[in-house]
Amino acid sequence: RAKAEGRGTYRFFEARMGAQVRDRRRLEHDMRLAVARGEMHLAFQPQTEVRTGDVTGFEVLLRWRHPERGPVSPALFIPIAEESGAIVQIGEWVLREACREAARWSVPLSVAVNVSAVQLHAPHFVQTVHEALFQAGLRPARLEIEITETALIRDPSRAQATLRQLKALGVRLAMDDFGTGYSSLSNLRTYPFDKIKIDGSFVRAVDANEQAKAIVRSVLGLGRGLGLPVLAEGVETAAELRFLADENCQAAQGYLMGKPGPIEDFREYTHRMTAETSSAKVA
Ligand code: C2E
Ligand code: MG
Ligand code: MG
Ligand code: MG
């Protein structure tokens, strides 16, 4: 009896596994067509200077609206896109769209684009970045590329070479999700980063948790010591922002300052309004 039940459970398990694999393949397949079908779009989230509250730039976050499933989270589809290699093509599209959008702004704000390990190590990545900038007519210093530490460990010397070439183009580099990966402090010295982004999980814990405060303070100290500005991600409350201001954190990003959304929602920042256009807006 137990044996038969066991077998039944196994068969059930097997069937479920099969369904999961099929589901994943389906997503993988749909994803390859998604760009061409216009199902992908970019969301923009403001990055601000803590001291003044001024918006200094936007991070680009990829969004996929699946025709049947609705919005699919990047946390779900980006890893699949990385494993299948589809991220290379999708990532190129993101870079081109992001540069083209930023080139339209009348205020020269920065635009930050996430790049995963597979993209970074793909052949011609630097060429792709160069072309995206050139075709858009965007000054390289306005583009910031966000890379996690995890993306570096696969092939550190190759990553090093690629990051150096990106720096030579004039692009800026931010270390994303700092504190969550295989954090090695020497990474900040070895690789030519311009900025540290401290992960939202620490920032969101500072209200209640002394350890989180200590971690945020130590990353800020590290940034000061290395001469790298620090941006705190995932800021949701006024108390968190106040803590960051008290600790002299340079930059912040999070729902408190703005949720990721269509760039049209942020026209007041991206376009300097003349007296005429602003009065036209009131009218
Ligand atoms: P990330 O680059 O660390 O992006 C930050 C994530 O935190 C985003 O999630 C953002 O929507 C979310 N977030 C921002 N402010 C807050 C806040 O105040 N509270 C909370 N709870 N969350 C906040 P999202 O958009 O789901 O993206 C998840 C991850 O997917 C990103 O993490 C990034 O690693 C990846 N990703 C997104 N777009 C792209 C892309 O175009 N290319 C690549 N390669 N990866 C991307
Ligand atoms: Mg990011
Ligand atoms: Mg992050
Ligand atoms: Mg992340």
Side-chain angles (χ1 to χ4, degrees), residues 24 28 31-32 77-92 116-120 122-123 154:
R24 206 188 150 89
E28 214 180 288
M31 204 187 306
R32 289 193 180 274
F77 76 80
I78 296 280
I80 299 176
E82 283 181 58
E83 270 177 52
S84 70
I87 192 68
V88 174
Q89 190 216 332
I90 296 170
E92 269 188 49
S116 72
V118 177
Q119 291 175 269
L120 188 71
R154 181 170 309 186

Side-chain angles (χ1 to χ4, degrees), residues 66 83 121 134 178 192 196 205 254:
H66 190 280
E83 270 177 52
H121 290 111
F134 183 78
F178 188 72
I196 303 170

Side-chain angles (χ1 to χ4, degrees), residues 235-252:
V235 179
E236 292 183 353
T237 70
E240 288 160 8
L241 188 63
R242 205 170 315 117
F243 171 77
L244 294 167
D246 290 344
E247 299 295 330
N248 297 310
C249 178
Q250 289 86 352

